[in-house]
Amino acid sequence: NAGVTQTPKFQVLKTGQSMTLQCAQDMNHEYMSWYRQDPGMGLRLIHYSVGAGITDQGEVPNGYNVSRSTTEDFPLRLLSAAPSQTSVYFCASSLSEGYYGYTFGSGTRLTVV
Amino acid sequence: GIQVEQSPPDLILQEGANSTLRCNFSDSVNNLQWFHQNPWGQLINLFYIPSGTKQNGRLSATTVATERYSLLYISSSQTTDSGVYFCAVEQGGGSEKLVFGKGTKLTVNP
């Protein structure tokens, strides 16, 4: 089924560990982005990409790295997890030009202890 | 950056009632979407509506871009409408950044 696939759905990390949240889309969308959702805060943009090889920072980029080597994949890396990164993470994609709706993945619930 | 404010923050309805949710934004936008986050956390795209009016079953949305607001109407509410409704906007000028409001939490009681 066409859409945005995120893995894993749940993850528990210890402080200082690293991990990669995976995001893949099969709709040939150029734009992809990562958001985090915290209680009472809505969704906040972490990083985004307008195409393969091009990434940029969003509102809350500290502690996260991204790369976009293919159109389909946009992984989010936590290099040294901190309790403040406990959150629900959503990946989204949209067609080029930015004049179409965004499609979101089902989310990854991350807990850092 | 652009500011997005949603009201009310919380809304409790009896099944069958109608409601209106509001989204105000501080600057011109290329993209405005309404999402429903269900109790399982899934974000469901309801409307892509940078201007004008759209309807989908019991839901409809109107965006008045010149006055910088959008309204989401829910008629004959059902318990399955419960969840959080988010408005999100993408600012003009090719920013490609979707900025979310903090949402309206809707509870529909049987």
Side-chain angles (χ1 to χ4, degrees):
Chain A
N1 290 337
V4 178
T5 302
Q6 287 185 238
T7 56
K9 294 190 181 303
F10 302 93
Q11 183 71 48
V12 178
L13 288 179
K14 293 182 178 179
T15 297
Q17 285 185 315
S18 63
M19 79 160 295
T20 299
L21 279 64
Q22 301 291 344
C23 176
Q25 52 89 11
D26 58 3
M27 298 172 284
N28 203 31
H29 285 177
E30 289 193 12
Y31 297 128
M32 296 186 74
S33 49
W34 278 100
Y35 292 82
R36 61 177 288 173
Q37 184 178 25
D38 301 297
M41 299 292 291
L43 279 80
R44 293 181 293 169
L45 181 64
I46 305 172
H47 284 286
Y48 67 100
S49 169
V50 301
I54 306 170
T55 64
D56 206 347
Q57 296 181 349
E59 180 184 358
V60 288
N62 291 340
Y64 307 95
N65 276 355
V66 293
S67 60
R68 183 97 179 268
S69 57
T70 67
T71 300
E72 295 78 18
D73 300 297
F74 190 44
L76 178 72
R77 298 182 184 87
L78 284 71
L79 299 180
S80 179
S84 60
Q85 294 179 303
T86 294
S87 188
V88 180
Y89 292 84
F90 288 95
C91 178
S93 72
S94 65
L95 280 171
S96 61
E97 306 297 332
Y99 292 101
Y100 298 90
Y102 282 66
T103 300
F104 278 77
S106 58
T108 295
R109 185 174 295 274
L110 176 67
T111 302
V112 183
V113 298
Chain B
I2 194 167
Q3 304 297 314
V4 182
E5 295 184 358
Q6 292 186 243
S7 59
D10 294 278
L11 185 59
I12 300 174
L13 301 174
Q14 286 300 120
E15 201 167 25
N18 302 327
S19 63
T20 301
L21 283 58
R22 187 177 180 102
C23 172
N24 292 332
F25 43 95
S26 61
D27 205 342
S28 61
V29 298
N30 282 340
N31 176 5
L32 187 146
Q33 288 186 255
W34 284 97
F35 293 91
H36 174 219
Q37 188 169 39
N38 63 25
W40 296 271
Q42 180 69 36
L43 280 162
I44 299 165
N45 190 342
L46 297 176
F47 293 103
Y48 166 74
I49 186 166
S51 64
T53 297
K54 291 186 178 179
Q55 181 159 5
N56 184 2
R58 297 181 295 103
L59 274 61
S60 64
T62 295
T63 297
V64 183
T66 53
E67 298 187 20
R68 299 180 183 169
Y69 73 89
S70 183
L71 302 174
L72 178 69
Y73 306 95
I74 305 174
S75 64
S76 304
S77 59
Q78 301 176 358
T79 55
T80 52
D81 295 331
S82 295
V84 182
Y85 289 81
F86 289 103
C87 169
V89 303
E90 185 176 290
Q91 197 167 1
S95 70
E96 296 117 10
K97 297 180 184 179
L98 201 61
V99 178
F100 281 75
K102 294 186 177 181
T104 292
K105 183 178 180 181
L106 175 65
T107 302
V108 181
N109 293 321

